[in-house]
């Protein structure tokens, strides 16, 4: 009887590297982890990481979480994040990554939308008690049955995953390793509101391949990831890129330039994955001289309309690959020429690597819709999540569609045939990695009372920045915090008057 062939999962990729070199260094914590979370730094080999992953997976199983259960995760870019995601998959669970900027209001909404049964966090991050945030959100989410975390001083009722790792339980269950199974549910913000976006393992792997193939990421690479991991692009730029290379993942909690430079050189990293604006800023300051082992930079653009107007890349001995990120819908990469350092032209049609070679591997396809917006098609693109609503007339069949419209305005240059992305989706604001609807700002302004104003202003680095005005800024900040809103909205009302 022939054995059924299935596509790989993230845990499959990890175990392949584990078999090849169990004692090789796999995961390294940020240099300043003690300051960020109060926890001791970890450096784990593949064998050590495997034991921790199995112990955490055993804890999930022993806690009564059935296979295919949804588990929410809100963690910084530390070793615990990678261990938790892989442990959830080893136990057959589906992961919902929750951005660190999300506070109680957004956490509760996400937990209810996904019917999550568990939430994983850590005691504190940058002085904020994320354990308390998780407990308060869980109290408002009917589906939550289990809350656990890393770190000391966890509140009563929250199970310690540090203790679970020390207990090293051998409890396991048979999970079919099939890349077509659900692995992730992330949240996008479209002009219709927040949208849960489920993805299979193969879709995540396709996103990682789009980055690693285009940038020619070497097997066994030592990668420093300085990109927040709690999104599709963030997972691809950290966990998936590392698993595909079978090398070492050095994590950096964004962003401390001095810490990044020290840790990068300590581990002789050859690859840096970071926000593109940060990479270009480092290039202006003599990146090649300060990071002598660096050979490859992957720069992610959360505001892809800014790529064509960006500065030239000047470090000739270091390659730069621009990765265009379209929310949670998908991404593609384009490596810059070493000759002029200009962004590579983007063409309609398949994109893979190398783009000019016959028979190149295809990572996806770029389309232009009749309404002049850019669309994506391919294995990483979750078409069903973005499908248009069915027609109101029951007898009319919904039109078939195998692509996702990103809603980014785009046009084709008639002379060169290159695509130019000209504007982000209407009604959607981006501040760093945080996306929200413009109408939300108006709603929260009204809740603050007469004379309050909350608006988004264009910003060259992050897309937008928030600014607020109220009769009493301190009271406005307290009110927004009490409502459980994220710190971007709260700090928009900071006092800007210089002190005497």
């Amino acid at each position: 009887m022939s054995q059924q062939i299935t596509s790989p999962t993230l845990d499959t990729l990890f175990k392949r590297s584990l078999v090849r070199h169990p004692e090789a260094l796999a995961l390294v914590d940020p240099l300043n982890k003690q300051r960020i979370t109060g926890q001791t730094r970890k450096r784990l080999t593949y064998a050590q990481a495997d034991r921790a992953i199995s112990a955490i997976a055993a804890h999930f199983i022993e806690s009564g979480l059935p296979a295919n259960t949804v588990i929410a995760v809100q963690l910084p870019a530390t070793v615990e994040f990678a261990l938790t995601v892989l442990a959830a998959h080893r136990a057959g669970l589906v992961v919902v990554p929750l951005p660190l900027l999300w506070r109680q209001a957004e956490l509760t909404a996400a937990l209810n939308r996904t019917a999550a049964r568990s939430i994983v966090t850590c005691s504190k991050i940058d002085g904020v008690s994320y354990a308390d945030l998780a407990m308060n959100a869980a109290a408002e989410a009917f589906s939550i049955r289990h809350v656990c975390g890393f770190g000391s001083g966890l509140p009563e009722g929250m199970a310690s995953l540090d203790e679970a790792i020390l207990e090293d339980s051998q409890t396991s269950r048979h999970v079919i390793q099939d890349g077509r199974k659900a692995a992730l549910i992330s949240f996008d913000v479209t002009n219709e509101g927040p949208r849960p976006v489920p993805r299979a393992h193969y879709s995540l792997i396709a996103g990682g391949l789009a980055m690693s193939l285009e940038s020619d990421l070497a097997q066994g690479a030592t990668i420093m990831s300085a990109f927040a991991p709690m999104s599709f692009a963030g997972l691809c730029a950290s966990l998936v890129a590392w698993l595909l290379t079978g090398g070492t993942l050095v994590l950096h909690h964004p962003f401390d330039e001095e810490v990044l430079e020290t840790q990068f050189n300590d581990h002789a990293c050859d690859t840096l994955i970071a926000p593109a604006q940060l990479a270009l800023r480092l290039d202006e300051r003599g990146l090649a001289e300060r990071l002598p082992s660096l050979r490859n930079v992957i720069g992610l653009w959360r505001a892809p309309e800014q790529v064509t107007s960006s500065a030239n890349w000047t470090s000739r001995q270091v390659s730069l690959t621009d990765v265009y990120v379209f929310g949670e819908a998908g991404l593609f990469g384009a490596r810059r020429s070493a000759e002029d350092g200009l962004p590579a032209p983007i063409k309609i049609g398949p994109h893979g690597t190398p783009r000019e070679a016959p028979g190149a591997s295809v990572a996806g396809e770029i389309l232009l819709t009749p309404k002049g917006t850019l669309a994506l098609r391919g294995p990483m693109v979750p078409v069903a999540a973005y499908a248009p609503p069915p027609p109101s007339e029951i007898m009319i069949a919904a039109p078939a569609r195998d692509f996702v419209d990103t809603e980014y305005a785009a046009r084709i240059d008639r002379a060169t045939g290159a695509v130019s992305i000209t504007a982000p989706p209407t009604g959607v604001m981006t501040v760093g990695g945080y996306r929200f609807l413009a109408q939300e700002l108006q709603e929260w302004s009204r809740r603050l009372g007469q004379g309050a104003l909350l608006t988004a202003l264009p910003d060259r680095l992050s897309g937008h920045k928030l600014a607020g005005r109220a009769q009493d800024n301190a009271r406005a900040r307290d009110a927004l915090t009490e409502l459980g809103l994220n710190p971007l909205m709260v700090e928009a009302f900071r006092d800007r008057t210089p002190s005497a």
Side-chain angles (χ1 to χ4, degrees), residues 97-102 106 186-189 227-234 254 275 277 300-303 325-328 408 428-436 459 461-465 486 488:
L98 303 172
L100 294 184
L101 280 172
W102 283 13
E106 290 153 314
S186 56
F187 276 86
D188 202 354
V189 174
F227 195 87
M230 308 307 283
S231 64
F232 167 63
Q277 295 94 332
L300 281 74
W301 293 90
R302 294 189 182 102
V325 179
F326 300 92
E328 298 299 300
Y408 279 80
V428 178
M429 303 294 177
T430 301
V431 178
Y434 181 72
R435 286 160 63 98
F436 54 91
D459 183 78
L461 289 177
S462 62
H464 293 88
K465 59 182 178 182
N486 69 75
L488 285 177

Side-chain angles (χ1 to χ4, degrees), residues 15-30:
K15 287 180 176 177
R16 287 178 182 177
S17 297
L18 172 67
V19 170
R20 287 198 298 265
H21 40 236
E23 299 309 317
L25 186 60
L27 293 164
V28 180
D29 261 326

Side-chain angles (χ1 to χ4, degrees), residues 437-460:
L437 292 175
Q439 66 189 40
E440 289 183 10
L441 301 184
Q442 301 170 7
E443 177 185 343
W444 293 113
S445 293
R446 286 196 297 269
R447 293 185 119 186
L448 289 172
Q450 188 175 4
L453 173 67
L454 182 59
T455 188
L457 304 174
D459 183 78
R460 183 69 187 86

Side-chain angles (χ1 to χ4, degrees), residues 103-105 128 133 136 444 448 473-493:
R103 294 298 190 256
Q104 189 172 337
V128 177
L133 289 174
N136 292 334
W444 293 113
L448 289 172
N473 280 346
R475 289 186 63 183
R477 289 197 302 271
D478 291 342
L480 291 174
T481 301
E482 187 69 24
L483 289 167
L485 295 192
N486 69 75
L488 285 177
M489 288 193 179
V490 175
E491 289 307 308
F493 289 90

Side-chain angles (χ1 to χ4, degrees), residues 131-377:
D132 287 343
L133 289 174
M135 293 294 284
N136 292 334
E140 297 184 25
F142 178 77
S143 60
I144 293 291
R145 292 292 180 269
H146 183 61
V147 183
C148 47
F150 296 93
S152 59
L154 297 176
E156 185 178 353
M158 179 174 283
S160 170
L161 290 180
D162 294 311
E163 293 179 5
I165 292 174
L166 292 176
E167 290 172 5
D168 197 19
S169 171
Q170 300 302 306
T171 301
S172 64
R173 64 177 165 221
H174 177 66
V175 174
I176 298 174
Q177 294 297 321
D178 188 343
R180 297 168 295 183
K181 296 180 67 174
L184 177 79
I185 303 174
S186 56
F187 276 86
D188 202 354
V189 174
T190 68
N191 51 26
E192 297 172 356
R195 183 188 300 263
V197 182
R199 265 191 171 85
H201 286 267
Y202 76 82
S203 180
L204 280 169
I205 293 171
L209 284 170
M211 290 187 195
S212 59
L213 291 176
E214 178 65 22
S215 62
D216 199 18
L217 199 54
Q219 284 295 298
T222 302
I223 303 167
M224 171 172 278
S225 177
F227 195 87
M230 308 307 283
S231 64
F232 167 63
L235 275 164
C236 292
S238 53
L239 199 64
V240 184
W242 162 60
L243 293 172
L244 288 170
T245 65
T248 302
L249 178 62
V250 180
L251 292 159
H252 176 78
H253 181 72
F255 170 71
D256 185 316
E257 189 171 334
E258 184 177 341
V259 169
L260 182 147
E261 185 175 330
T262 300
Q263 190 175 8
F264 195 97
N265 290 327
D266 284 349
H267 295 280
C269 300
D270 50 64
T271 302
L272 173 64
I273 304 178
Q277 295 94 332
L278 166 61
L280 289 167
R281 195 170 81 197
L282 291 173
D283 182 48
E284 292 174 358
R285 299 180 182 180
L287 172 146
E289 292 74 25
R290 293 163 60 186
L291 307 176
S293 61
L294 180 61
R295 296 293 176 267
N296 204 341
V297 174
I298 300 175
L300 281 74
W301 293 90
R302 294 189 182 102
E305 71 276 8
Q306 296 181 356
V307 179
T308 52
S309 60
S310 64
N312 292 10
W313 183 254
T314 61
S315 301
R316 294 294 177 257
Q317 63 271 48
V318 179
S319 68
L320 171 65
T321 299
D322 294 307
V323 175
Y324 296 66
V325 179
F326 300 92
E328 298 299 300
L331 53 85
F332 60 81
R335 186 163 31 167
R336 298 198 182 195
S337 167
E339 296 176 1
D340 56 20
L342 292 170
I346 304 300
K347 300 292 183 71
I348 293 297
H351 60 91
T353 186
R355 290 181 302 281
E356 297 82 9
S361 58
V362 174
E365 190 173 355
I366 301 168
L367 314 171
L368 197 65
T369 70
K371 64 179 184 180
T373 54
L374 188 128
L376 301 176
R377 178 161 57 199

